[in-house]
Amino acid sequence: MGFEIPWGSIVVQLLGFVILLALLSKFALRPLLGIMEQREKLVNDQIDSAERNRKDAEELLNQQREELNKAKKEAQGIIENAKKLGEQQGLDIVKASKEEAQRMKDTAIAEIQNEKDQAVVALREQVASLSVLIAQKVIEKELDEKAQEQLIQDYLKQAGEEL
């Protein structure tokens, strides 16, 4: 029958294929694998770098949130202190006003008492001079008891009108 297998040709082709594989492996596949490994390393480095950057960003965000909260607390403290200071100043102003009003009241009372004392002294002087005047009139007229009583009442009435 007539078909023969060319063993010589198959061996040569197989040998050529093995040599081609060896040459491709040495000159093409190894450099290609090296490039692939470098690319893989670069991608892994970039992933690691991105992860580090994300963690750093999270830490920075947390720090900024803490600082913001701290600033809010400080601002609240400043506002509270300002309120307390304002209230205290208001109380101080009210207290000073009350003290001034009390001082003015005490001064006015002292002046009124002084004027009252002066008025009493003046009234006593007038009563004394009226008494002397009545006594002089009584002595001069030597009136009877009824007339003397009428004269005293008239002078007292006159003294009351003068006051």
Side-chain angles (χ1 to χ4, degrees):
M1 301 203 175
F3 185 58
E4 264 179 53
I5 299 180
W7 289 106
S9 171
I10 290 178
V11 171
V12 171
Q13 283 182 1
L14 190 57
L15 188 61
F17 183 72
V18 170
I19 292 173
L20 180 64
L21 277 179
L23 289 174
L24 281 176
S25 173
K26 184 174 183 183
F27 293 113
L29 192 57
R30 283 190 187 150
L32 186 60
L33 287 176
I35 291 172
M36 294 292 276
E37 286 176 4
Q38 288 177 352
R39 177 72 179 151
E40 182 181 359
K41 184 180 177 189
L42 178 66
V43 168
N44 286 336
D45 289 346
Q46 287 177 345
I47 290 172
D48 292 343
S49 176
E51 185 65 25
R52 281 193 308 273
N53 289 341
R54 185 188 61 79
K55 287 180 182 178
D56 291 345
E58 284 179 1
E59 289 177 14
L60 182 61
L61 180 63
N62 288 335
Q63 288 175 354
Q64 288 180 351
R65 283 182 182 161
E66 289 174 7
E67 289 179 18
L68 180 63
N69 288 337
K70 184 179 176 183
K72 283 181 181 178
K73 287 178 183 176
E74 287 178 13
Q76 188 66 29
I78 290 170
I79 290 170
E80 289 296 323
N81 287 339
K83 283 182 183 178
K84 287 178 184 176
L85 183 61
E87 289 173 2
Q88 184 61 42
Q89 286 177 344
L91 292 174
D92 291 346
I93 290 170
V94 169
K95 182 180 176 184
S97 298
K98 285 182 180 179
E99 289 173 355
E100 180 64 19
Q102 185 63 40
R103 186 191 61 75
M104 292 173 70
K105 179 182 172 186
D106 292 344
T107 302
I109 289 173
E111 288 178 6
I112 291 170
Q113 185 62 40
N114 188 23
E115 289 178 11
K116 178 182 170 187
D117 292 344
Q118 289 176 355
V120 168
V121 168
L123 182 61
R124 284 183 184 160
E125 288 176 1
Q126 286 180 354
V127 167
S129 73
L130 284 177
S131 296
V132 170
L133 185 61
I134 290 173
Q136 284 176 352
K137 296 280 183 175
V138 169
I139 292 173
E140 286 177 4
K141 287 191 177 181
E142 290 187 19
L143 300 172
D144 63 357
E145 200 175 302
K146 234 182 186 187
Q148 188 177 357
E149 185 66 34
Q150 182 62 36
L151 185 61
I152 290 173
Q153 289 300 325
D154 289 344
Y155 281 117
L156 285 176
K157 193 184 228 181
Q158 182 183 4
E161 288 175 0
E162 288 180 8
L163 292 177

